[in-house]
Amino acid sequence: MTAYIGTPASRIDGRAKVTGEARYAADFNEQNLVYGAVVASTIPKGRIKHIDVSQALRVAGVLKVLTHQDRPQMAADDDAYKDDVAPEEGSPYRPLYDDKILFNGQPLALVLADDWETARFAATLVQVDYDAAPYVTDLQAQLSTAYVVPKPEKPRGDAAKAYAAAQVRHEAEYFIPTEYHNPMELFASTVHVDGAGKLTVYDKTQGVQNVQGYLSKIFAGSVQEFRVISPFVGGAFGAGLRPQYQVVLTVLGALALDRSVRLVLTRQQMYALGYRPATIERLALGANADGTLAAINHEAIAVTSQFEEFSRNDTGWSGLLYKSPNTKFVHKLVRLDVPTSSDMRAPGAATGVYALESAMDELAVALDIDPLELRLRCYSDRDQNENLPYTSKALHECYRQGADAFGWSQRNPKPRSMRDGADLVGWGMATGVWEALQMPVAARIVLTANGHAEVSCAASDIGTGTYTIVAQVAADKLGLPIENISVKLADSTLPQAPVEGGSWMAASASHAVASVADDIRDELLKLAKAVSGSPLAGAAGADVTLAGGRLVSRKDAGRAMSISDLMRHGGLDRMTKEKLNTFAQDHSHARNTHSAIYAEVKVDEQLGVIRVTRVVSAVAAGRILNPKTAGSQVMGSVVGGIGMALHEEAVYDHAFGRIMNANVAEYHMPVNADVHDIKVIFVDEPDDQVNPLGIKGVGEIGIVGVAAAIANAVYHATGKRVRDLPITLDKLKA
Ligand code: MOS
C-alpha cells in the first residue's frame, strides 16, 4: 500500500477543467431551454402591495412571469424548507412564497423567456408597489438589542476578578465587517424536465443530497423524483452549503412551463445570499509578569436575520488554545432585516481567532515579550475547554519550522524599525486552529476483471481535490495504478455523503473508500479460497493485500493471484461493493488542526499602501494525503486571509438598507497583484488516534490567523494598531 497517498499527485480532473470539458451548473445544455431572470426587492422590509407583470409579458419571447400570486404549488410547513445545515432556530426563507419582504434583494418575481437577454430586459419592466415597513440594518445602532446565545464552552474560575487583579492587562474591541464569499462561478441551476414527474437538477452546491432532500420536501406534492447533479463547483467557500434560492426558482419555472429552465444569478443578486456576519469581538486578557495568562474574557456580537438564528463558535477558540485558569465567553446576536448570515471560510474561527491573535500581539507589546515567545509561554498540550488531551498537536513544530523558514529571529521588535527603501517593513505572526471533523460517508467500488475500478460517492469536490484524493486512496487500497481509477462524485443517486464543508471530506471520504476497498479485498479472497490448490487457502483478510493488480500474502509475496484470474475463476467480469463508513464516537480526545502564520508587509510611508510581501504558513493537519492539492488549499486560504485583512467589506447604505458595493469591482478582493510569496509547510504530525489513516483535513485551517498575522505586521511596520477590518490606507493615515 501507499504508493499514492502522501504524494503530490496532480488533479485527475485537471485536464477536464483546463480544456473546458468540465461542466458546471449553467453548462448543461438542451434544446429549447428556457431562461430565467430574477426581479429583486429594492426595499429591505415590508409587503408587496401590488405587482404588475403586464409590461414584461408584452415583450416578444417572454413566456411567463412567476410571482407569489402565480406560481406552482409549494409546501406550506416550515420543516419542508429546513435543509440539512439550516440553523436549528427559526423559519427558513421561502422563495416566492408570499407577499412578505424580509431583506433587500429578495426575489419577488421570475421572468421566463426564450433567451437570457430577453428575460433580463423584461425583468426591468416588472412594477412592484410596496408597503414599506421600518427596518434595521446597522449592527452598531442595534447593540442594545443584542441577546446571548448559549454556547458549549464552560467558564473557568472568575475571569472578571482575575482580569482586574492581573499584573498586565489588555482590553480592546475588534471588528470584522460583513464579507461575501464571491466565488468565481455565479450561482446557477439548470433543471431538465425528464417527463413522468422527474426532474434532473444541475446545481451549484456543496451537497447534492442536501439539495435533493430539500427540493423533495418543498415539491412533495408535484414532483415524484429529483436527481441533483453538481460535478464541478467553481468555488463556494460555504455559500453552497445551504440550497440557494435560485434552485427553487428554477424548479418553479420548470414546473410552470413543463420545460427545462436555466437560471443564473447576477453578481449583484448573490449579495442577497448568506454572508460572513459582521462581528464585534471584545477581548480582555490579563497576564502575569512572566507572560502566562491569568484571564481570558472573550465576547462576540454577530449579525443574524430576523427569521433565523445563525451563529458559530467565535469565542471558544480562546479558551481552547491557551492555558489560563480563568476564562469567560459570551456570544451574542443582533437581529437585522437582512438575509440570514451563513458559513464562510472557517466560520467563527476566522473572526474569533483574528481578535484573539491580535489581542495576544497587543499583550506581547504590553509585556515587552516577543509575540512568538508569548504563545510558547501560554501553550497548552490539552484542550483547555474540555480538559482533554489531543489526538495529536504539532503546533510547537509549526511555530518552529515557520519561524525558521521566515527568519523570525532576525526581527527587530521595535515598531517602525525595519525599512526597505521608502517602505516600512513589518513582521507579524499568529496562531491558527480548526477542527478535525469526520462524518459518515458511503462509497461504492466497481472493480472490473481487467483491473479498472470506478469509485463513486455523492460527495462534492468544491475545487479542493476530492476527485484526486479519492483516486489516490482507491489506487493504493486496490493496488492499481491511479490511471485505472475513475471517480464519480456529486450525483444524488450515488452513495450517501453530507455537504462538503467543515474541512471534513478528505478524512471522511478516504475512510469510506478504504473501508469498501477492504470489502473488495475480502470478496477476492473468498474467490481465491474457492480455487483448488489456492496459494492463499489459509489466509485471513488481514493477511492479504492488493498490490500490482494481484491479491498477495503479506507474509509471503510469492503467494499471490491476479485480480483477472480470480474474477475468471469466479465467473465474474465485475465486482461491486458499497458501504457506509462511520467513525466510532470517541470523546476521550480533542481533535484539531493547527497552524503558525508569519507575515511580512511593506507599507509605503507617504501613501499608506500596504503590500503583503511574504507569508509562511506552517500547518499541522495529521497525514497529508496530497501535498500538492492540500498546499493549494492552504495557499488559497492565505489569499482569503489577505482579503479579510486588507480588502473585503460589504458596505451598507443604512438609509436604504442596501449594500452599496454589491459587485466585484467595489467589493475588493485580492487579485494576482496583491498576492506575493506564499510558502506552505506541512509539519509531520503522525496521528493513529484521530482515525485509522491519520487524516485531519485542510482548507479552513489555512485562513485562520492570517488576518491577525497581517494586522500584527502592519502594527510592527507602522506603530499604528488598526482593529477594525479591513485595514485600508485611510485608517492608517488617520
Ligand atoms: Mo465551509 S465554510 O464549511 O464550506
Side-chain angles (χ1 to χ4, degrees):
M1 208 180 119
T2 69
Y4 294 104
I5 293 178
T7 64
S10 291
R11 287 172 193 268
I12 63 168
D13 52 331
R15 177 185 289 267
K17 281 185 168 172
V18 298
T19 55
E21 187 192 318
R23 285 195 291 170
Y24 295 76
D27 296 334
F28 289 86
N29 289 320
E30 180 166 307
Q31 293 286 317
N32 296 319
L33 202 53
V34 174
Y35 293 80
V38 171
V39 178
S41 167
T42 56
I43 66 164
K45 191 175 190 171
R47 285 183 183 274
I48 303 166
K49 210 178 344 179
H50 180 66
I51 187 160
D52 178 3
V53 302
S54 57
Q55 276 191 65
L57 282 173
R58 277 200 290 271
V59 176
V62 170
L63 302 164
K64 195 162 180 58
V65 181
L66 302 183
T67 67
H68 68 283
Q69 290 168 318
D70 179 14
R71 56 147 173 84
Q73 194 197 335
M74 300 164 77
D77 59 309
D78 258 350
D79 261 4
Y81 296 84
K82 288 227 177 200
D83 68 282
D84 291 350
V85 290
E88 274 170 38
E89 298 297 322
S91 168
Y93 165 64
R94 305 173 184 188
L96 240 50
Y97 188 78
D98 56 23
D99 65 352
K100 281 197 214 89
I101 295 169
L102 303 175
F103 50 87
N104 218 320
Q106 175 181 318
L108 303 182
L110 177 71
V111 177
L112 297 160
D114 286 330
D115 59 74
W116 182 74
E117 291 80 1
T118 301
R120 201 169 175 198
F121 167 65
T124 66
L125 303 177
V126 173
Q127 301 292 321
V128 185
D129 279 343
Y130 299 104
D131 255 337
Y135 61 86
V136 288
T137 53
D138 186 353
L139 170 63
Q140 297 288 353
Q142 295 302 312
L143 286 182
S144 63
T145 67
Y147 65 99
V148 174
V149 281
K151 291 283 164 187
E153 311 97 60
K154 295 170 275 249
R156 298 196 286 278
D158 185 336
K161 202 170 138 195
Y163 177 75
Q167 283 165 289
V168 178
R169 286 189 290 268
H170 165 69
E171 184 171 10
E173 186 172 297
Y174 302 85
F175 181 68
I176 302 96
T178 297
E179 295 170 3
Y180 277 83
H181 310 77
N182 273 307
M184 219 191 280
E185 181 197 15
L186 299 170
F187 268 82
S189 307
T190 307
V191 173
H192 284 189
V193 175
D194 299 340
K198 292 186 181 177
L199 296 184
T200 300
V201 179
Y202 300 93
D203 191 34
K204 175 187 176 71
T205 175
Q206 292 173 245
V208 288
Q209 289 180 335
N210 187 28
V211 174
Q212 199 270 345
Y214 173 78
L215 293 175
S216 298
K217 286 189 292 180
I218 295 172
F219 296 102
S222 47
V223 179
Q224 275 177 22
E225 197 180 315
F226 279 103
R227 179 179 180 189
V228 181
I229 299 176
S230 181
F232 294 97
V233 178
F237 314 113
L241 290 170
R242 298 188 71 180
Q244 296 294 9
Y245 76 73
Q246 93 286 342
V247 73
V248 175
L249 296 193
T250 318
V251 170
L252 284 172
L255 292 176
L257 298 176
D258 196 24
R259 284 179 62 181
S260 298
V261 176
R262 170 175 305 154
L263 174 59
V264 184
L265 297 188
T266 64
R267 181 62 59 178
Q268 185 180 12
Q269 286 165 355
M270 280 166 54
Y271 284 76
L273 308 180
Y275 50 91
R276 190 197 293 290
T279 308
I280 296 165
E281 309 263 355
R282 294 177 179 150
L283 264 292
L285 302 178
N288 306 305
D290 65 358
T292 56
L293 282 166
I296 302 172
N297 293 273
H298 190 164
E299 178 178 329
I301 309 170
V303 170
T304 192
S305 66
Q306 301 283 7
F307 50 96
E308 281 179 309
E309 189 173 285
F310 173 86
S311 77
R312 284 290 177 258
N313 167 25
D314 274 72
T315 56
W317 310 103
S318 301
L320 173 82
L321 208 45
Y322 296 124
K323 212 179 276 182
S324 172
N326 304 288
T327 59
K328 189 175 180 219
F329 311 112
V330 179
H331 195 108
K332 293 181 180 172
L333 287 178
V334 168
R335 291 186 180 276
L336 299 176
D337 295 299
V338 291
T340 305
S341 41
S342 78
D343 289 309
M344 174 170 156
R345 308 178 188 152
T351 45
V353 175
Y354 156 67
L356 170 69
E357 288 298 285
S358 297
M360 285 293 278
D361 197 71
E362 296 201 59
L363 187 66
V365 172
L367 283 159
D368 196 20
I369 295 178
D370 177 85
L372 172 56
E373 179 58 29
L374 177 64
R375 267 70 171 193
L376 296 174
R377 290 189 198 177
C378 301
Y379 197 91
S380 175
D381 282 318
R382 294 174 80 79
D383 168 344
Q384 293 286 303
N385 286 339
E386 299 296 327
N387 191 22
L388 289 174
Y390 289 97
T391 58
S392 61
K393 179 177 176 179
L395 177 57
H396 259 301
E397 273 304 292
C398 296
Y399 284 138
R400 196 183 62 74
Q401 290 187 34
D404 288 351
F406 187 81
W408 185 255
S409 63
Q410 303 304 307
R411 180 177 182 265
N412 181 334
K414 210 169 125 42
R416 304 181 65 87
S417 64
M418 293 168 60
R419 284 181 178 271
D420 175 7
D423 287 341
L424 293 162
V425 177
W427 288 4
M429 60 85 56
T431 314
V433 57
W434 187 244
E435 297 170 281
L437 298 162
Q438 44 199 31
M439 305 287 277
V441 168
R444 182 189 304 142
I445 294 179
V446 180
L447 177 69
T448 50
N450 63 358
H452 281 72
E454 181 185 88
V455 188
S456 58
C457 172
S460 300
D461 183 336
I462 57 176
T464 47
T466 312
Y467 280 104
T468 308
I469 56 133
V470 161
Q472 287 176 274
V473 174
D476 280 355
K477 291 290 290 187
L478 297 171
L480 297 172
I482 199 164
E483 296 74 29
N484 290 19
I485 310 290
S486 60
V487 181
K488 276 210 312 213
L489 297 176
D491 176 333
S492 61
T493 60
L494 295 175
Q496 172 187 331
V499 293
E500 171 148 311
S503 303
W504 59 53
M505 197 53 87
S508 308
S510 295
H511 285 84
V513 172
S515 167
V516 70
D518 283 344
D519 287 358
I520 291 271
R521 177 203 63 198
D522 291 348
E523 193 69 20
L524 289 168
L525 181 59
K526 264 192 220 161
L527 296 178
K529 290 183 174 193
V531 176
S532 66
S534 168
L536 298 167
D543 300 334
V544 292
T545 187
L546 286 162
R550 304 183 315 158
L551 188 66
V552 189
S553 163
R554 288 179 189 272
K555 292 174 198 152
D556 177 0
R559 294 174 174 272
M561 291 188 75
S562 73
I563 289 171
S564 56
D565 279 351
L566 288 170
M567 295 270 222
R568 188 164 45 78
H569 278 292
L572 299 172
D573 59 6
R574 63 183 52 228
M575 174 182 286
T576 302
K577 289 280 172 195
E578 179 177 331
K579 193 177 194 177
L580 175 68
N581 182 69
T582 55
F583 295 88
Q585 291 295 311
D586 176 2
H587 301 295
S588 65
H589 287 73
R591 300 148 178 271
N592 290 89
T593 53
H594 293 90
S595 67
I597 305 106
Y598 296 84
E600 176 184 85
V601 299
K602 292 188 177 169
V603 182
D604 181 307
E605 204 178 356
Q606 262 81 50
L607 299 175
V609 173
I610 307 165
R611 284 178 303 142
V612 181
T613 44
R614 283 198 300 139
V615 176
V616 174
S617 173
V619 175
R623 174 186 285 189
I624 301 302
L625 286 163
N626 183 329
K628 192 170 180 179
T629 52
S632 293
Q633 284 196 71
V634 173
M635 199 180 292
S637 291
V638 169
V639 174
I642 295 172
M644 261 188 96
L646 303 183
H647 304 284
E648 295 187 58
E649 177 178 22
V651 184
Y652 265 90
D653 179 346
H654 298 300
F656 293 95
R658 183 188 305 166
I659 294 168
M660 290 189 278
N661 58 341
N663 56 70
V664 289
E666 293 162 298
Y667 180 99
H668 291 177
M669 288 177 283
V671 297
N672 281 340
D674 298 305
V675 178
H676 300 274
D677 185 18
I678 299 172
K679 184 179 173 64
V680 179
I681 297 168
F682 290 112
V683 309
D684 202 29
E685 190 180 60
D687 190 331
D688 56 13
Q689 294 198 66
V690 67
N691 50 48
L693 291 168
I695 301 164
K696 286 184 171 178
V698 295
E700 285 160 304
I701 184 60
I703 189 172
V704 185
V706 175
I710 293 168
N712 297 341
V714 169
Y715 167 77
H716 181 239
T718 63
K720 175 132 183 137
R721 184 69 68 172
V722 179
R723 301 188 183 92
D724 60 321
L725 298 181
I727 306 172
T728 46
L729 51 86
D730 54 305
K731 294 176 189 171
L732 269 190
K733 297 310 283 183

